[in-house]
Amino acid sequence: MKRVAVPWVRTRLRAAPGAAVALALLVALTAFLAAAFPRALDRYEDEGLSRAVARTHPDRAGLLVTAPNPTSDSARANGRRS
């Protein structure tokens, strides 16, 4: 396999090492935030829901949790009627 020379990368890194380091830090920070933000948002929403349920008295409110029936969804996807 022939090695491909890319002299412009080396030239740019030598010409502006600060910009290369800043770009690498920006990419790393963006990747970290993209990974951390959804988890932090889910945690924040879960804590808010837990706090709301804990503060509400059972005689004043009810909580209904629903989920789609997996068998009826798969039957619809296959074209069958349930």
Side-chain angles (χ1 to χ4, degrees):
M1 180 191 280
K2 184 178 178 185
R3 185 175 177 196
V4 178
V6 188
W8 59 271
V9 172
R10 201 173 323 125
T11 303
R12 288 188 184 238
L13 288 175
R14 286 183 183 159
V21 170
L23 180 62
L25 287 174
L26 179 65
V27 168
L29 177 67
T30 304
F32 172 76
L33 290 176
F37 183 71
R39 297 181 85 185
L41 186 63
D42 283 343
R43 191 176 316 120
Y44 175 74
E45 290 172 347
D46 290 345
E47 287 176 8
L49 180 61
S50 297
R51 188 177 304 120
V53 170
R55 287 183 180 175
T56 304
H57 297 289
D59 60 339
R60 296 196 47 168
L63 183 63
L64 176 65
V65 179
T66 61
N69 187 353
T71 57
S72 66
D73 287 343
S74 63
R76 263 188 255 133
N78 292 331
R80 287 182 258 143
R81 298 180 84 184
S82 53

